[in-house]
Amino acid sequence: MEKNDPITITLTDRLFDTLQRAIVEGEIPSGSKISEPELARQHGVSRGSLREAIGRLEARKLVERKPNLGARVVTLSYEQLIEIYQVREALEGMAARLAAQNMSDKEIGELQLLLDQHGQQIEELHGQAYFQKQGDLDFHYRIVQGSKNHHLIGLLCNDLYHLLRMYRFQFGMRSKRSSQAFDEHHYLLNAISSRDPEMAELLMRQHIRSSRRNVERMLLEN
Amino acid sequence: MEKNDPITITLTDRLFDTLQRAIVEGEIPSGSKISEPELARQHGVSRGSLREAIGRLEARKLVERKPNLGARVVTLSYEQLIEIYQVREALEGMAARLAAQNMSDKEIGELQLLLDQHGQQIEELHGQAYFQKQGDLDFHYRIVQGSKNHHLIGLLCNDLYHLLRMYRFQFGMRSKRSSQAFDEHHYLLNAISSRDPEMAELLMRQHIRSSRRNVERMLLEN
DNA sequence: TTCCAATAAAGTGTCGACAATTTTAAAATA
DNA sequence: TATTTTAAAATTGTCGACACTTTATTGGAA
């Protein structure tokens, strides 16, 4: 019989989630200094617990810490965003390759269903921003899970995901290439259905590269 | 004028380094439970500082923590090692691609020099294990640095590196394919010298894949 | 006034203690 | 004896306090 670990949520856990959300959504501004006494007071918690939470945020590259100087929310930059896309291209490319090998037929079927829903929503909303914001993430998320590589899953869904979300939030990155992205998702799913790892990786990498170029264009306009 | 941040080493920093080394080298056995009071006493430090250090070890996947149950040193497994190699293939492949674009001529020259030294040592030692253990790491390390992608560098040199070193240590993974690996390094450096990103990535991925297969063979013998 | 030194205020690093939970040991019941 | 209950011990989570470092403020000299 499985011994279900009692999912106790520690104070530090909750604090970490709260702060992560606040940082990602810009509530605590990018680049701002974090005052331990003040934050601890605001959340009605001791500095010790807060420091543990900050440690985790640091591990996820959401804050940077210097000894005796304290922690600052990471400063968003064009250069770092490009770096993140390069890492994503490598990791998600591998994820797609592995997903083509390891996803179950059932999972592939469900992904197909999800994509159909996206198609409908695009028609209805006439290519609105919904897709980029949630649908795109859902799709990628499932493929990463389908890789069945826990290390890869952790890297993408825990570490990179939130940083990327932070950029999306604060740089206002909804794009109008939703229908193009939809097509790309479609081709990619075909490759996975055909159990073609090589092609799946290729298409995923192209997909991410084109979305990087899209971001590059957008940022150059500002 | 540059304001050199005073490189103050905090207690937690030192503790973290010490524990990391102890875990990587098997001094604290894989899978064993970590007792906070005991470890704190042994190192003459408070539990608070120790807990921060453990938190960092957790972020590097060297220990696993469960609320109210404490931390355990990660359990090494064949499956996880394969996962790590897959992640490495993706990330270092991208690193090689970027290195072919971004390494300076000077850096490439120095890398060439390093490789020449390795060649000599292999002749002298008649293909001894030195290469795999240190030389191989040096070479890969420099290429990762050459990518100039800080995110990538952090992921590989901070996170993955120590886990991999732990496996090398505890699984006794010196192989006798040092001369083959040397040749592969040579081809790879040629691709980088020629500023051929595509080829550099391809060769790096093959190199890592073949070293993964080598590990697979070795482990199947046990 | 402007610059520098001395001092005060605030912030971070580290510690020991208490509260809550888990594990171990002992006692009691079947 | 085996199994469940109860109590004790140990361990983790959380807190408040103190020491040391950095930053802000004040006061004086050029």
Side-chain angles (χ1 to χ4, degrees):
Chain A
M1 192 192 302
E2 293 288 324
K3 187 164 192 177
N4 268 5
D5 26 341
I7 339 158
T8 49
I9 300 294
T10 173
L11 220 181
T12 303
D13 289 335
R14 195 166 26 245
L15 198 56
F16 169 67
D17 287 339
T18 302
L19 292 180
Q20 176 168 254
R21 195 195 50 74
I23 289 176
V24 165
E25 301 185 0
E27 202 172 298
I28 304 177
S30 160
S32 69
K33 184 170 184 322
I34 290 178
S35 163
E36 293 183 3
E38 184 182 337
L39 254 193
R41 189 182 45 72
Q42 280 180 5
H43 293 265
V45 85
S46 86
R47 266 186 61 226
S49 302
L50 175 64
R51 282 172 64 86
E52 292 206 14
I54 292 180
R56 290 198 215 168
L57 293 171
E58 186 187 19
R60 292 207 176 167
K61 316 259 188 241
L62 292 175
V63 311
E64 290 173 350
R65 215 178 205 176
K66 290 182 180 171
N68 289 318
L69 298 187
R72 308 191 81 88
V73 177
V74 71
T75 299
L76 304 186
S77 74
Y78 174 76
E79 290 80 12
Q80 200 201 6
L81 184 55
I82 298 298
E83 288 192 358
I84 291 174
Y85 268 95
Q86 289 171 339
V87 171
R88 261 192 84 197
E89 181 184 329
L91 289 179
E92 291 206 35
M94 176 60 78
R97 167 186 291 267
L98 294 174
Q101 299 173 192
N102 299 332
M103 268 181 109
S104 70
D105 292 336
K106 178 156 166 279
E107 288 171 318
I108 293 179
E110 290 168 354
L111 191 49
Q112 181 69 59
L113 222 64
L114 181 71
L115 206 51
D116 290 345
Q117 291 176 3
H118 288 171
Q120 285 190 335
Q121 285 167 344
I122 287 181
E123 290 227 354
E124 292 170 6
L125 299 172
H126 229 280
Q128 209 63 314
Y130 165 87
F131 189 55
Q132 180 77 343
K133 199 163 187 174
Q134 194 57 38
D136 186 74
L137 282 181
D138 281 354
F139 186 80
H140 284 255
Y141 190 83
R142 295 222 193 174
I143 289 183
V144 173
Q145 296 289 334
S147 77
K148 304 291 168 70
N149 181 320
H150 301 90
H151 230 286
L152 200 50
I153 293 171
L155 244 38
L156 283 168
C157 297
N158 295 151
D159 295 348
L160 267 189
Y161 173 70
H162 296 280
L163 238 185
L164 195 59
R165 225 159 57 89
M166 185 172 170
Y167 275 96
R168 289 229 169 105
F169 242 98
Q170 306 200 18
F171 279 18
M173 283 161 58
R174 65 238 136 88
S175 75
K176 301 202 170 64
R177 57 176 218 96
S178 52
S179 65
Q180 187 197 337
F182 176 74
D183 288 342
E184 291 174 2
H185 284 187
H186 192 71
Y187 299 142
L188 176 52
L189 182 53
N190 273 355
I192 292 178
S193 294
S194 317
R195 304 293 185 185
D196 186 341
E198 203 74 39
M199 181 61 75
E201 173 163 14
L202 190 81
L203 289 175
M204 178 62 98
R205 290 184 67 157
Q206 273 186 226
H207 175 55
I208 292 178
R209 224 175 297 175
S210 91
S211 114
R212 165 166 60 84
R213 291 207 198 88
N214 185 55
V215 168
E216 288 178 2
R217 265 196 299 102
M218 260 203 308
L219 291 185
L220 287 181
E221 290 172 4
N222 298 11
Chain B
M1 192 192 302
E2 292 288 322
K3 187 165 192 177
N4 268 4
D5 27 341
I7 338 161
T8 48
I9 301 293
T10 174
L11 220 183
T12 303
D13 289 335
R14 196 167 24 247
L15 239 188
F16 169 66
D17 286 339
T18 302
L19 292 180
Q20 175 168 254
R21 195 195 52 73
I23 289 176
V24 165
E25 300 184 1
E27 201 173 299
I28 304 177
S30 160
S32 68
K33 183 170 185 326
I34 291 178
S35 164
E36 292 182 5
E38 186 182 334
L39 255 193
R41 189 181 46 71
Q42 279 180 6
H43 293 265
V45 83
S46 86
R47 266 185 61 226
S49 303
L50 175 64
R51 282 172 63 87
E52 292 206 14
I54 293 179
R56 290 198 214 169
L57 293 171
E58 186 186 18
R60 291 205 176 169
K61 316 258 187 239
L62 292 175
V63 311
E64 290 172 349
R65 215 178 206 177
K66 289 181 180 172
N68 289 318
L69 298 186
R72 308 190 81 90
V73 178
V74 72
T75 299
L76 304 186
S77 74
Y78 174 76
E79 290 79 13
Q80 199 200 7
L81 184 55
I82 299 299
E83 289 191 0
I84 292 173
Y85 268 96
Q86 289 171 337
V87 171
R88 260 191 84 197
E89 182 185 327
L91 289 180
E92 291 205 36
M94 177 59 78
R97 166 187 293 268
L98 295 174
Q101 299 172 194
N102 299 333
M103 269 181 107
S104 71
D105 292 337
K106 178 156 166 280
E107 289 171 317
I108 294 179
E110 290 167 354
L111 191 50
Q112 181 70 59
L113 222 65
L114 181 72
L115 205 51
D116 291 345
Q117 291 176 1
H118 288 170
Q120 286 189 335
Q121 285 168 344
I122 287 181
E123 291 225 355
E124 292 170 7
L125 298 173
H126 230 280
Q128 210 65 312
Y130 165 87
F131 188 54
Q132 179 77 343
K133 198 163 187 175
Q134 195 57 38
D136 186 72
L137 281 182
D138 282 353
F139 186 80
H140 284 257
Y141 190 82
R142 296 221 193 173
I143 289 183
V144 173
Q145 296 288 335
S147 77
K148 305 289 167 72
N149 181 319
H150 301 91
H151 230 285
L152 201 50
I153 293 172
L155 244 37
L156 283 167
C157 297
N158 294 151
D159 294 350
L160 267 188
Y161 173 71
H162 297 280
L163 238 185
L164 196 60
R165 225 159 56 89
M166 185 171 171
Y167 275 96
R168 290 227 169 106
F169 242 97
Q170 306 199 18
F171 279 19
M173 283 162 58
R174 66 238 136 89
S175 76
K176 300 200 171 65
R177 58 178 216 96
S178 51
S179 64
Q180 185 198 337
F182 175 74
D183 288 342
E184 292 174 2
H185 285 187
H186 191 72
Y187 300 142
L188 175 53
L189 181 52
N190 273 355
I192 291 178
S193 294
S194 316
R195 304 293 185 185
D196 185 341
E198 202 73 40
M199 181 62 75
E201 173 164 15
L202 189 82
L203 290 175
M204 177 63 99
R205 290 184 66 156
Q206 274 188 223
H207 176 55
I208 292 178
R209 225 176 296 176
S210 91
S211 113
R212 165 164 62 85
R213 291 207 197 89
N214 185 55
V215 167
E216 288 178 1
R217 265 196 299 103
M218 261 204 308
L219 291 185
L220 286 181
E221 289 172 4
N222 298 10

